[in-house]
Amino acid sequence: MERKILLTDCPDSTGLIAQITNICYKHQLNIINNREYVDHASGQFYMRTELEGIFNDHTLMLDLDRVLPNGSHRQLVGAERKRIVVLVTKEAHCLGDLLIKTFDGSLNVEIAAVVGNYPDLGELTEKFGIPYVTVSHENMSRDEHELAIAEVVDGFEPDYLVLAKFMRILTPTFVSRYASRIINIHHSFLPAFIGANPYRQAFERGVKIIGATAHFVTDDLDEGPIIHQQVIPVDHNFSAADMARAGRDVEKTVLSKALNLVLEDRVFVYGNRTVIL
Amino acid sequence: MERKILLTDCPDSTGLIAQITNICYKHQLNIINNREYVDHASGQFYMRTELEGIFNDHTLMLDLDRVLPNGSHRQLVGAERKRIVVLVTKEAHCLGDLLIKTFDGSLNVEIAAVVGNYPDLGELTEKFGIPYVTVSHENMSRDEHELAIAEVVDGFEPDYLVLAKFMRILTPTFVSRYASRIINIHHSFLPAFIGANPYRQAFERGVKIIGATAHFVTDDLDEGPIIHQQVIPVDHNFSAADMARAGRDVEKTVLSKALNLVLEDRVFVYGNRTVIL
Amino acid sequence: MERKILLTDCPDSTGLIAQITNICYKHQLNIINNREYVDHASGQFYMRTELEGIFNDHTLMLDLDRVLPNGSHRQLVGAERKRIVVLVTKEAHCLGDLLIKTFDGSLNVEIAAVVGNYPDLGELTEKFGIPYVTVSHENMSRDEHELAIAEVVDGFEPDYLVLAKFMRILTPTFVSRYASRIINIHHSFLPAFIGANPYRQAFERGVKIIGATAHFVTDDLDEGPIIHQQVIPVDHNFSAADMARAGRDVEKTVLSKALNLVLEDRVFVYGNRTVIL
Amino acid sequence: MERKILLTDCPDSTGLIAQITNICYKHQLNIINNREYVDHASGQFYMRTELEGIFNDHTLMLDLDRVLPNGSHRQLVGAERKRIVVLVTKEAHCLGDLLIKTFDGSLNVEIAAVVGNYPDLGELTEKFGIPYVTVSHENMSRDEHELAIAEVVDGFEPDYLVLAKFMRILTPTFVSRYASRIINIHHSFLPAFIGANPYRQAFERGVKIIGATAHFVTDDLDEGPIIHQQVIPVDHNFSAADMARAGRDVEKTVLSKALNLVLEDRVFVYGNRTVIL
C-alpha cells in the first residue's frame, strides 16, 4: 500500500470529477482526500486527490489521458521528501525557523544548502550540518552574480528555491530559469508598500496593521502569485524599527506555512493567482 | 435551468464520489461546486454538491439510492428562501444585525417573526414590518412558558429557530421538539467560561482575548456542535462591562455568519462536531 | 462632581506630565485615566486626561497656559453627546450599523441627519425617526452639488461628518470646509488597491486577506490619517462579489469602532498619522 | 546618560502621577515613556516610567518614599541583560525559537542553561554553545526530582525560569521557591481544555479556533496570571494531530512575546491578573 497525490489541472467540462474518480475506483485506489476547484471565469478545473493503494502509474496515466480534455495537465506525485536551497542575506529569523522546523521534523523537507551573498549566516547554518556557500556580489555585475549563484544552486539539484530575506533583486533571466519554483517572503503587507524600507513607509502612513506575503517569484518581483498572508496589529507606539521587529515573527511564520503548502502539493498557479487545495 | 444542492451523509466506501458524480453526469447536471469530507475515525462520508440543470428529483433519488450504502442520508435542496423565527430577550445587537442584513438582502432569509420574553425589542422589530410577539415568562412554570413559545413559533412554521441573546435556559423537551434546528450565540469564548456572567469571569481571569461561539443547541445547553467562532483582543484597560460591549460586535458577526452557513446548507452535524462544506 | 477630558497637544519638554498633572492635583481633580505619547521624531507631546471633580474651566486653562510651551493646544471637553451627519449613497450596511448602535445606545452619538445622493436609504433611515435628505447630483456640477450638500449639512450643525459608503469624490474645497471633521471608511485594505473596484483588483491579485480602513479625509482622498483597520481571511473560493460581501462586515465594524474612538476624544492627528490614547 | 525604568505599584491616591513625575523632574530625569493604570475595583495604581539622565538611585528612592502611600512598591531597574534557565522535555519548537531569537539578538536575554528531564534536546541546545543538563525523573519521587532540578537551576542564578513545553506538574513547594518568576506556555486556549491531551479535547468538541496562553505559574498550575494569548483558526479538516502541529507556531510565538514583555519589565501582577504597561 502506497500513498500518492494526483494533481489535475485542465479545462472544465461536465463530469470531470466523476470520470477521474471513476478511474481511481477502477484501479482500486482509495480516495483519502479530494479537493477540487473550478474557476468559472477562466473555465479551468483543478483537483488534488490523495490516493492509497497499489499504483500502476503508467496505465493510470493512460486511462486519465483518455478522458481528460486537450490541454490537460495531470501528475502523480509520490511521497519522496523534496529538496530546497535557501537563499539569504544577513537576517537570521526566516532561515532560523526553517532550520529548527527541519531539525525537529515539523517541515518535511531536505535543506540541501544555504547560499548567501554575505557570510553572516554561515555559522548558524553549519550548526545544523547543512552546507553554506557564500557567493559575494562584490566586483561582479548582476548577471555574473546570478550566474554564479545558479551554478551553486544547480549543483544541489533542488526542487524549490526559497528566498528567506534574500535582499537582491532577481533578473527575469534568473527567474525564468526556475519558473514557478522560487518562493519569496515579502516584508510588509504586499502590495501596499512596494520599494525600499516598507516599514518606514508603513510607519509614516500610520498603519494599524502590518503583515507579510509569501508568493512565487515572477518577473515582476513582488507581484507573483500569493501563496499565504498573515497580519498583526500595531499602533502609534511602534517605531519603524519596532514594526520591522514585530514583522519578523509574521514573516517567518508565513514563509514556513507557504513552503509547507508547496511541499504538500497543495498550490496550483493560474495567471497571477493561486488555488490552495 | 435550475440550481439545487445535493447533500449526502453516509458511511464511507470506495468510489463514492465517482458513483455520485457519475449519476449527476448521467442526469446531465453540471457540478458548479463540490466539496466533500471523510471522517476517518468514524468512517463517515459527507458531500455537498451544487448542481445546475433540469432536475428529475424522483429518478435522481432512486438512482442515488441504488449506489449509496445502507444508512445513507441524501437530500436535494432547492433555492427557496428559508424561514426563521428569532427568539430574543432585551439586547438589540444580534437582532438588529439580522434585521439590517435581511432588509438589505445580504442575508437570504425570511424572518417570519420575532418572539421575546420581554416587550423591549418590539419597537425595533416592527420598524421592519416583522411581527413581534411577547410571551412573558411571568406567573408561568418553565414548561408552561416553553409550551406557549412553541405554540407561537409553530404558527410561523420556521425552518430554524435563532436564539439572538435569548436569556432563558431551554429544557430538553423544547430542544428535542426542534432537534438540530435551533442556533444559539454564546457570549464569551465557549467553553471557557460557562455559567453566569462570563465576561466577569473572563475579566477576573485577566484574559487577553474574548470571543463568541455560534452552535446548534442540544440538551447540554452551551455544548452543542460549534458552527462558527471568532475572537478579538482585549487588555487590562477593559472592565467587565467593556468586555461585554466589545463582545457584542463579535457576537452579532458570528451569529450572522453561522446562520448564513446554515442557510446555504453548508453545515453537517456528526456527534458533537460540525463539518462545514 | 463632573467628568471632563483634558486634551493636550504641544512640543515636548521635560516635566510636562508632572506640570500638567500637578495643576490637576492643585485643582483637586482626580485623574481617572491618563494616557500620553511622545513622538520623538517630531518632538511632539500628546496627552488625554480623564478628570473627575468640580471644574473651574477658566482658571484651569489659565494655569495650564502658564506652564505649557508656545504652540500648545489644550482643550477641556465635557460629556455632551456629539452630533453627526451621515453621508450615504446606496449601500445600507454601514448606515444600518450606525442606526442600530445609536438606537440601542452602544454608540453615544446623535445622528442629526442622513444625507444621500440617492433616495434609496431614506426608508431605512426614517424607520428610526431620523431626517433623510436626498441631494441628487444630477444636472449639477461637482461644485454645485457639494455646495448643496454643505448647506444641508450646516443646517444640522454636526460635530463630525461620517461618510458611510458615500461614493462621491470630494473636492479640496469641501474637505477644507470640514477640516479634520470628516471620517471615511475605505473599502479594501488601504492603500493596497486604490481606484475603482478594489475588490476586483484584490481578487485578480489572489489576495488571502482583505480589510477596511477608517480614516480622516484630507485632500488626498483615500490617504488621510488612519484611525482604525481590520482584516479577514479570504481564499480562492471567493469571487470578487464574495469578497465585497465579506468586506461589508469588516467595513461597518471598522467605521463604528473608529467613530467611537473619535467620539471619546481618543484620536490625535499629527501629519498623516494618528495617535490613539 | 543612563536609561532606567521606574516601576511603581501602590494604593491609588489623588495626585500620584503628579508627585512621582514631579520628583523625576526635580532629579532632571527625562521621561522617555510613561504608562500607568489604575484598577478602580481594588484601588491599586501601577506605573512604568522609562527615564533618561544621571541617576542618584538612593536619593531618588528616598524622595519617592516620602510621597508614596504605605504599602507601596517601587523599584528602579537598570538595563542589564536578564538571565533565564529554560526547562524542557522533548518538544523542540519553543526552545528552538528562544535559541534563534537569542542568537540573532531579537530577544535581549542570556540563556544561562537548558534543563531537561530527557536528554533529547541536548544536541540542539549545545549547537548554540549553551549548557544542557539532563535531570531525569526516573527512580525519583516528585519531590526528589524537583529538588534536583532546583539545585541545578540555582547554580545558574537565573532571573526567570521559562517552561518551554516542560511536561511535568510542579508542586507548590517548587513554585513558591520561584514565586512570580516562572513563565509557562499552555498548549491550547486556556482555560478551555484543562487536563491531558487538550488538542484531542478541542478536536472532539469541533472547535474552530485554537490558541496558546503564556502565564506566570502559581500553585494552580494552569491558572496563573495570563501574560499573552494568541489564536489561529482551524476547521474540520484538522485532526487532533494537525491541531497540535498548527498549535506549535502559536505556542512558540506566544511564549517569546510573553518573555519579551517580562524582560522589558512591562508586566505587573495583581491577584490573578496582569497589567501590561
Side-chain angles (χ1 to χ4, degrees):
Chain A
M1 294 282 274
E2 269 185 298
R3 280 209 183 194
K4 297 196 177 185
I5 296 168
L6 174 65
L7 304 171
T8 313
D9 171 354
C10 66
D12 190 29
S13 68
T14 307
L16 267 179
I17 299 175
Q19 289 165 326
I20 298 169
T21 56
N22 224 19
I23 288 169
C24 299
Y25 181 46
K26 285 176 191 162
H27 277 252
Q28 293 187 286
L29 297 168
N30 199 23
I31 297 175
I32 298 301
N33 193 284
N34 188 65
R35 295 195 196 165
E36 77 284 326
Y37 175 72
V38 177
D39 182 54
H40 290 286
S42 64
Q44 196 71 4
F45 172 91
Y46 303 88
M47 190 156 86
R48 178 188 187 273
T49 315
E50 275 186 55
L51 297 164
E52 196 177 54
I54 296 161
F55 290 81
N56 185 328
D57 292 27
H58 184 66
T59 60
L60 182 60
M61 291 296 105
L62 282 179
D63 284 352
L64 284 168
D65 289 343
R66 257 192 290 277
V67 302
L68 292 179
N70 284 336
S72 292
H73 302 270
R74 81 289 176 281
Q75 192 186 351
L76 195 64
V77 184
E80 301 80 30
R81 209 187 219 198
K82 294 186 180 69
R83 290 164 63 84
I84 58 171
V85 167
V86 182
L87 269 63
V88 299
T89 295
K90 288 182 171 180
E91 288 176 84
H93 58 288
C94 286
L95 173 63
D97 201 50
L98 297 177
L99 291 171
I100 294 286
K101 280 186 166 139
T102 306
F103 179 82
D104 81 356
S106 57
L107 208 53
N108 182 29
V109 75
E110 184 185 343
I111 302 179
V114 177
V115 179
N117 56 325
Y118 287 95
D120 300 46
L121 298 176
E123 186 192 340
L124 176 62
T125 303
E126 286 162 3
K127 284 183 196 300
F128 291 85
I130 292 167
Y132 185 90
V133 186
T134 303
V135 183
S136 170
H137 56 276
E138 282 186 43
N139 304 318
M140 273 190 179
S141 71
R142 185 173 301 274
D143 286 348
E144 287 167 347
H145 184 233
E146 285 191 348
L147 197 60
I149 288 178
E151 278 168 10
V152 172
V153 165
D154 290 350
F156 291 103
E157 301 185 340
D159 296 297
Y160 293 98
L161 266 65
V162 177
L163 311 185
K165 304 296 288 175
F166 181 64
M167 306 308 276
R168 303 274 301 171
I169 292 171
L170 298 171
T171 66
T173 308
F174 187 91
V175 170
S176 65
R177 186 176 188 134
Y178 306 99
S180 298
R181 289 168 55 202
I182 311 180
I183 299 159
N184 188 32
I185 181 71
H186 192 278
H187 37 324
S188 182
F189 189 69
L190 228 182
F193 300 108
I194 291 169
N197 212 338
Y199 287 116
R200 162 63 50 187
Q201 289 184 59
F203 168 78
E204 282 174 0
R205 185 72 180 75
V207 300
K208 307 301 184 193
I209 293 176
I210 58 171
T213 298
H215 61 98
F216 285 113
V217 177
T218 55
D219 285 7
D220 216 345
L221 182 58
D222 289 328
E223 295 281 340
I226 295 170
I227 305 168
H228 191 59
Q229 297 184 301
Q230 201 177 304
V231 295
I232 48 164
V234 293
D235 64 35
H236 62 263
N237 289 299
F238 285 68
S239 67
D242 290 337
M243 286 191 186
R245 192 169 75 145
R248 275 186 225 130
D249 269 341
V250 183
E251 287 173 4
K252 77 182 189 196
T253 304
V254 168
L255 181 60
S256 291
K257 176 74 190 297
L259 179 58
N260 196 45
L261 291 170
V262 169
L263 295 172
E264 293 183 348
D265 297 296
R266 299 188 176 281
V267 185
F268 292 76
V269 173
Y270 71 111
N272 205 29
R273 304 178 62 207
T274 59
V275 174
I276 313 288
L277 295 181
Chain B
M1 294 281 273
E2 267 185 300
R3 280 208 183 196
K4 296 196 179 186
I5 296 168
L6 174 65
L7 304 171
T8 313
D9 170 355
C10 66
D12 190 28
S13 69
T14 308
L16 266 181
I17 300 175
Q19 290 165 325
I20 298 169
T21 56
N22 225 18
I23 287 169
C24 298
Y25 182 45
K26 285 176 192 163
H27 277 251
Q28 294 187 287
L29 297 169
N30 199 24
I31 297 175
I32 298 301
N33 192 284
N34 188 65
R35 297 196 195 163
E36 76 285 326
Y37 175 71
V38 177
D39 182 54
H40 290 287
S42 65
Q44 196 71 1
F45 172 91
Y46 303 89
M47 192 157 85
R48 178 188 186 274
T49 314
E50 273 186 56
L51 298 164
E52 195 177 55
I54 296 161
F55 290 80
N56 185 327
D57 291 27
H58 185 66
T59 61
L60 182 60
M61 291 296 105
L62 283 179
D63 284 351
L64 285 168
D65 287 344
R66 259 191 289 275
V67 301
L68 292 178
N70 284 337
S72 296
H73 302 271
R74 81 287 176 284
Q75 191 186 352
L76 195 63
V77 184
E80 302 79 30
R81 209 186 220 198
K82 294 186 179 69
R83 290 165 62 85
I84 58 170
V85 167
V86 182
L87 268 62
V88 299
T89 297
K90 288 183 173 181
E91 290 176 84
H93 57 289
C94 286
L95 173 62
D97 201 49
L98 297 177
L99 290 171
I100 295 286
K101 279 185 166 140
T102 306
F103 179 81
D104 80 357
S106 56
L107 207 54
N108 181 30
V109 74
E110 184 186 344
I111 303 179
V114 177
V115 178
N117 57 326
Y118 287 94
D120 299 47
L121 297 176
E123 186 192 339
L124 176 61
T125 302
E126 285 163 4
K127 285 184 195 302
F128 291 84
I130 292 167
Y132 186 90
V133 185
T134 303
V135 183
S136 171
H137 56 276
E138 280 184 47
N139 304 319
M140 274 191 179
S141 72
R142 185 172 301 273
D143 287 348
E144 287 168 346
H145 184 233
E146 285 191 348
L147 197 60
I149 288 179
E151 277 168 11
V152 171
V153 164
D154 291 350
F156 291 102
E157 300 185 342
D159 295 296
Y160 294 98
L161 265 65
V162 178
L163 310 186
K165 306 295 288 174
F166 181 65
M167 306 307 276
R168 303 274 301 172
I169 294 171
L170 298 170
T171 66
T173 309
F174 188 90
V175 170
S176 65
R177 186 176 188 135
Y178 306 99
S180 299
R181 289 168 55 203
I182 311 180
I183 299 159
N184 188 31
I185 181 72
H186 192 278
H187 38 322
S188 181
F189 189 69
L190 228 182
F193 299 108
I194 291 169
N197 213 339
Y199 288 115
R200 162 64 49 187
Q201 289 184 60
F203 168 78
E204 283 174 0
R205 186 70 181 78
V207 301
K208 307 301 184 192
I209 294 175
I210 58 170
T213 298
H215 61 98
F216 285 112
V217 178
T218 54
D219 285 7
D220 216 344
L221 183 57
D222 289 327
E223 296 281 340
I226 295 172
I227 305 168
H228 190 59
Q229 295 185 301
Q230 201 176 303
V231 295
I232 48 164
V234 293
D235 63 35
H236 62 263
N237 288 300
F238 285 67
S239 66
D242 290 336
M243 286 191 186
R245 193 170 73 146
R248 274 185 227 132
D249 268 342
V250 183
E251 288 172 4
K252 77 182 188 197
T253 304
V254 168
L255 181 60
S256 290
K257 176 74 189 298
L259 180 58
N260 196 45
L261 291 170
V262 170
L263 294 172
E264 293 183 348
D265 297 294
R266 299 188 175 281
V267 186
F268 292 76
V269 173
Y270 71 112
N272 206 29
R273 306 179 61 208
T274 59
V275 174
I276 313 289
L277 297 181
Chain C
M1 293 282 274
E2 267 185 301
R3 280 209 183 193
K4 296 195 179 187
I5 296 168
L6 175 64
L7 304 172
T8 313
D9 171 355
C10 67
D12 190 27
S13 70
T14 309
L16 267 180
I17 300 175
Q19 289 166 325
I20 299 169
T21 56
N22 225 18
I23 287 168
C24 298
Y25 183 45
K26 286 176 193 163
H27 277 253
Q28 294 186 288
L29 297 168
N30 199 23
I31 297 176
I32 299 301
N33 192 284
N34 189 66
R35 296 195 196 165
E36 76 285 325
Y37 174 72
V38 177
D39 183 53
H40 289 287
S42 64
Q44 196 71 2
F45 172 91
Y46 303 89
M47 191 157 85
R48 177 187 187 275
T49 315
E50 274 186 55
L51 297 165
E52 196 178 55
I54 296 161
F55 290 81
N56 185 328
D57 292 27
H58 186 65
T59 59
L60 182 60
M61 291 297 105
L62 282 179
D63 283 351
L64 285 168
D65 288 344
R66 258 192 289 276
V67 302
L68 292 179
N70 284 336
S72 294
H73 302 271
R74 81 286 177 286
Q75 191 186 350
L76 195 63
V77 184
E80 302 79 30
R81 209 186 219 198
K82 295 187 179 67
R83 290 165 63 84
I84 58 171
V85 166
V86 182
L87 268 63
V88 299
T89 295
K90 288 182 172 182
E91 289 176 84
H93 57 288
C94 286
L95 173 62
D97 201 48
L98 297 177
L99 290 170
I100 294 285
K101 279 186 166 139
T102 306
F103 179 81
D104 80 357
S106 56
L107 208 52
N108 182 29
V109 73
E110 185 186 342
I111 303 178
V114 177
V115 178
N117 57 325
Y118 287 94
D120 299 49
L121 298 176
E123 186 192 340
L124 176 61
T125 304
E126 286 163 3
K127 285 182 195 303
F128 291 85
I130 292 167
Y132 186 90
V133 185
T134 303
V135 182
S136 171
H137 56 276
E138 280 185 45
N139 304 320
M140 274 191 179
S141 72
R142 185 173 299 276
D143 286 348
E144 287 168 346
H145 184 232
E146 285 191 349
L147 197 61
I149 288 179
E151 278 169 11
V152 172
V153 165
D154 292 350
F156 291 102
E157 300 185 341
D159 296 296
Y160 294 98
L161 264 65
V162 177
L163 310 186
K165 304 296 287 176
F166 181 64
M167 305 308 276
R168 303 275 301 172
I169 293 171
L170 297 171
T171 66
T173 308
F174 187 91
V175 169
S176 65
R177 186 175 188 134
Y178 306 99
S180 298
R181 290 168 54 203
I182 311 180
I183 298 159
N184 188 32
I185 181 71
H186 192 277
H187 38 324
S188 182
F189 189 68
L190 229 182
F193 300 108
I194 290 168
N197 212 338
Y199 287 115
R200 163 62 51 184
Q201 290 184 60
F203 168 78
E204 283 174 0
R205 185 71 180 78
V207 302
K208 307 301 185 194
I209 293 175
I210 58 171
T213 298
H215 60 98
F216 284 113
V217 177
T218 55
D219 284 8
D220 217 345
L221 182 57
D222 289 327
E223 296 281 340
I226 295 171
I227 305 169
H228 191 58
Q229 297 185 300
Q230 200 177 303
V231 295
I232 49 164
V234 293
D235 64 35
H236 61 263
N237 288 300
F238 285 67
S239 65
D242 290 337
M243 287 191 186
R245 192 170 75 146
R248 273 185 227 131
D249 269 341
V250 183
E251 288 172 4
K252 76 181 189 196
T253 304
V254 169
L255 180 60
S256 291
K257 177 73 189 297
L259 179 58
N260 196 44
L261 290 170
V262 169
L263 295 173
E264 292 184 348
D265 297 295
R266 299 188 175 281
V267 185
F268 292 77
V269 173
Y270 71 112
N272 205 30
R273 305 179 63 207
T274 59
V275 174
I276 313 289
L277 296 181
Chain D
M1 294 280 274
E2 268 185 300
R3 280 208 183 196
K4 297 196 177 186
I5 296 168
L6 174 65
L7 304 172
T8 313
D9 171 356
C10 67
D12 190 28
S13 69
T14 308
L16 266 180
I17 300 175
Q19 289 165 326
I20 298 169
T21 57
N22 225 19
I23 287 169
C24 298
Y25 182 46
K26 286 176 190 162
H27 276 252
Q28 293 187 287
L29 297 168
N30 198 23
I31 296 175
I32 299 300
N33 193 284
N34 189 65
R35 296 195 196 165
E36 77 285 325
Y37 174 71
V38 177
D39 183 54
H40 290 287
S42 64
Q44 196 71 2
F45 172 92
Y46 303 89
M47 192 157 84
R48 179 188 186 273
T49 314
E50 275 185 56
L51 296 165
E52 197 178 54
I54 296 160
F55 290 81
N56 186 327
D57 292 27
H58 185 66
T59 60
L60 182 60
M61 291 296 105
L62 282 180
D63 283 352
L64 284 168
D65 288 343
R66 257 191 291 275
V67 302
L68 292 178
N70 285 336
S72 295
H73 303 270
R74 81 287 175 286
Q75 191 186 351
L76 195 63
V77 184
E80 301 80 30
R81 209 186 221 198
K82 294 187 180 70
R83 291 165 62 84
I84 59 170
V85 166
V86 183
L87 269 62
V88 299
T89 295
K90 289 182 172 181
E91 289 177 85
H93 57 287
C94 286
L95 174 61
D97 201 49
L98 297 177
L99 290 171
I100 295 285
K101 280 186 165 140
T102 306
F103 179 81
D104 79 357
S106 57
L107 208 53
N108 183 29
V109 74
E110 184 185 344
I111 303 179
V114 177
V115 179
N117 57 325
Y118 287 95
D120 300 48
L121 297 176
E123 186 192 340
L124 176 63
T125 303
E126 286 162 3
K127 284 183 197 299
F128 292 86
I130 291 166
Y132 185 89
V133 186
T134 304
V135 183
S136 171
H137 57 275
E138 280 185 45
N139 305 319
M140 274 191 180
S141 73
R142 184 173 300 276
D143 287 347
E144 288 168 348
H145 184 232
E146 286 191 348
L147 197 60
I149 288 179
E151 278 168 11
V152 172
V153 165
D154 291 350
F156 291 102
E157 299 185 343
D159 295 298
Y160 293 98
L161 266 64
V162 177
L163 310 186
K165 304 295 288 175
F166 181 64
M167 306 308 277
R168 303 274 302 172
I169 293 171
L170 298 171
T171 66
T173 310
F174 187 90
V175 170
S176 65
R177 187 177 187 133
Y178 307 98
S180 298
R181 290 169 54 203
I182 311 180
I183 298 159
N184 188 32
I185 181 70
H186 192 277
H187 38 324
S188 181
F189 190 69
L190 230 181
F193 300 108
I194 291 168
N197 212 337
Y199 288 116
R200 163 63 49 189
Q201 289 183 59
F203 168 79
E204 283 175 0
R205 186 71 180 76
V207 300
K208 306 302 184 193
I209 292 175
I210 58 171
T213 298
H215 60 99
F216 285 113
V217 177
T218 55
D219 285 7
D220 215 344
L221 182 57
D222 290 328
E223 296 282 339
I226 295 171
I227 305 169
H228 190 59
Q229 296 185 299
Q230 202 177 301
V231 295
I232 48 164
V234 294
D235 63 35
H236 61 263
N237 289 299
F238 285 67
S239 66
D242 291 337
M243 286 191 186
R245 192 170 75 145
R248 275 186 225 130
D249 269 342
V250 183
E251 287 172 5
K252 76 182 190 198
T253 304
V254 169
L255 180 60
S256 291
K257 176 73 190 297
L259 179 58
N260 196 45
L261 290 171
V262 170
L263 294 173
E264 293 183 348
D265 297 296
R266 297 188 177 282
V267 185
F268 292 77
V269 173
Y270 71 112
N272 206 30
R273 304 179 64 206
T274 59
V275 174
I276 314 288
L277 295 182

